[in-house]
Amino acid sequence: MTGTAPVPFTADDYKARMDRAARQAADAGLAGLLVAPGPDLVWLTGYAPPAVTERLTLLVLAAGREPVLVVPTLEAPDAEKATGAPALALRDWTDGKDPYALTAALLDGRGRFGVSDNAWALHLLGLQQALPGTSYVPLTEALPMLRAVKDAAELERLAAAGAAADAAFEEIRNVRFSGRRESEVAADLAALLRRFGHAQVDFTIVASGPNGANPHHEAGDRRIERGDMVVLDFGGLKDGYGSDTSRTVHVGEPTEEERRVHDLVREAQEAGFRAVRPGAACQDVDRAARAVIAGAGYGEYFIHRTGHGIGVTTHEPPYMIEGEERPLVPGMCFSVEPGVYLPGRFGVRIEDIVTVTEDGGRRLNETEREMVIVD
């Protein structure tokens, strides 16, 4: 089961994204954007180089100018096949030539440029040497919301990824947990994500018993026992867009305290979700969830932000954290995932992906949030 294939993005879609990015760069006082291979380049052009090498590949965007993609000659045929290629100009360079001189000719020699976060220092230093009057700022600092607001087609893909992750949870809750290693259950989860259409699995956290108190525990050789609380946090990419969901299950009947803490986290997650609405600050979501947990006396055990954005990567801006005053806008998508982590004992996390609507929020994960008992 993989579901219906999504409507493909078109060259016009990519042109609109590049135009928007160039305008936002100009509005931010930048001379342009320099985008290296990675999620930004895929989102802007549909192009992912066949391999990441030391050869320079760089998209140059500036308001009022045609987008230019600088590529090695041996990869130009692949770049020409990208869906967004008709909306830009290709400039290729051969081994033995200076790609920085070629790129420098496209840039304002005294400009300040936004650079994608995963650009190699090798290439940035090469450009600085060619154009010593230029300066650079990370793209997530200069334009943190560039990919934050999703259009209808992107929302459709995110919803499909969320539904696939939900289907994986409905299956995993029926497998045997007790007596098996965390790594074995994690492998089951990864296989289920792929069965339900994920091309890439980014993480499958299976944190049992005391390991659940570590939010980013790597599934290991610990054997899951009856009486364990088990945090499941898993996601990846389906049709280029991310899923990320967490549910906490219990092997056998829980204690009164375990049930109470689980109910508390569920209440906090609901409070965070209900805080989602256009115009609210990102930090309001964090405050709403955190207030519930702190009010019950567990505030010191909620040790991470309430959420992160999601799109062509499983973690990206915006972040639901104290101090982030940026307002929520319809089309933003992010996690709401409060947790309580009791060192040496157990942890609980409940996570849904949520999108901002015109009058509130909509969950993209709909599996049961009540405590699930597994064998």
Side-chain angles (χ1 to χ4, degrees):
M1 172 185 170
T2 57
T4 305
V7 175
F9 296 124
T10 67
D12 286 342
D13 292 327
Y14 291 114
K15 181 180 186 303
R17 292 176 186 179
M18 286 188 280
D19 288 347
R20 189 173 88 201
R23 287 196 305 272
Q24 289 185 11
D27 290 344
L30 298 174
L33 301 180
L34 306 177
V35 184
D40 290 319
L41 185 63
V42 172
W43 184 77
L44 286 164
T45 69
Y47 177 54
V52 178
T53 73
E54 72 283 358
R55 294 183 174 93
L56 177 71
T57 295
L58 202 66
L59 174 68
V60 179
L61 296 177
R65 298 180 62 181
E66 182 180 30
V68 178
L69 182 62
V70 176
V71 295
T73 300
L74 77 168
E75 294 175 5
D78 294 301
E80 289 170 350
K81 295 175 186 175
T83 305
L88 51 77
L90 285 178
R91 298 285 185 272
D92 64 304
W93 61 276
T94 57
D95 287 350
K97 302 293 185 180
D98 183 356
Y100 306 114
L102 170 64
T103 306
L106 304 171
L107 305 181
D108 175 351
R110 297 192 176 277
R112 181 172 176 79
F113 295 88
V115 182
S116 53
D117 295 8
N118 53 340
W120 285 23
L122 170 73
H123 300 319
L124 193 57
L125 291 170
L127 285 174
Q128 285 182 315
Q129 185 172 13
L131 292 173
T134 54
S135 60
Y136 305 90
V137 60
L139 196 54
T140 53
E141 179 183 324
L143 299 178
M145 296 294 107
L146 178 62
R147 304 196 317 252
V149 178
K150 276 63 179 180
D151 61 28
E154 291 182 292
L155 289 173
E156 179 183 335
R157 293 187 185 214
L158 283 161
D166 283 357
F169 176 73
E170 294 295 355
E171 291 284 334
I172 202 68
R173 63 184 288 180
N174 294 318
V175 309
R176 185 166 185 81
F177 279 68
S178 61
R180 302 180 69 211
R181 292 184 174 89
E182 292 173 340
S183 57
E184 293 173 323
V185 178
D188 287 346
L189 262 176
L192 286 167
L193 285 171
R194 292 190 178 95
R195 190 213 297 179
F196 291 114
H198 281 64
Q200 177 178 313
V201 176
D202 286 353
F203 48 88
T204 52
I205 294 173
V206 178
S208 63
N211 290 339
N214 176 1
H216 283 172
H217 171 69
E218 293 281 346
D221 289 335
R222 184 183 186 275
R223 287 195 181 274
I224 302 169
E225 303 171 354
R226 292 195 69 79
D228 279 348
M229 196 85 88
V230 184
V231 179
L232 305 173
D233 184 348
F234 51 97
L237 299 182
K238 180 182 186 296
D239 295 317
Y241 281 75
S243 69
D244 185 2
T245 187
S246 300
R247 294 292 185 263
T248 303
V249 302
H250 198 277
V251 187
E253 286 300 317
T255 66
E256 182 180 338
E257 182 190 20
E258 288 170 332
R259 191 174 290 279
R260 185 174 67 251
V261 172
H262 190 280
D263 286 346
L264 174 66
V265 173
R266 180 170 55 82
E267 182 184 348
Q269 207 267 348
E270 177 68 18
F273 169 68
R274 291 191 178 281
V276 175
R277 63 185 183 280
C282 291
Q283 68 181 3
D284 292 341
V285 179
D286 183 83
R287 287 175 174 178
R290 201 168 299 276
V292 173
I293 292 173
Y298 287 87
E300 66 183 292
Y301 303 112
F302 180 9
I303 56 177
H304 55 72
R305 64 196 175 204
T306 292
H308 58 81
I310 191 169
V312 293
T313 58
T314 48
H315 287 72
E316 62 186 46
Y319 298 105
M320 306 301 112
I321 189 171
E322 181 66 31
E324 179 50 86
E325 298 179 349
R326 186 171 283 105
L328 300 180
V329 176
M332 283 184 175
C333 292
F334 48 84
S335 66
V336 178
E337 52 176 306
V340 168
Y341 308 94
L342 303 178
R345 301 181 63 205
F346 64 88
V348 177
R349 182 164 63 257
I350 300 173
E351 172 185 15
D352 295 323
I353 297 303
V354 172
T355 182
V356 184
T357 64
E358 294 296 331
D359 57 1
R362 175 169 68 94
R363 284 186 167 102
L364 301 186
N365 296 106
E366 289 295 350
T367 53
E368 189 173 352
R369 295 173 197 91
E370 301 282 348
M371 182 180 288
V372 170
I373 307 300
V374 297
D375 292 329

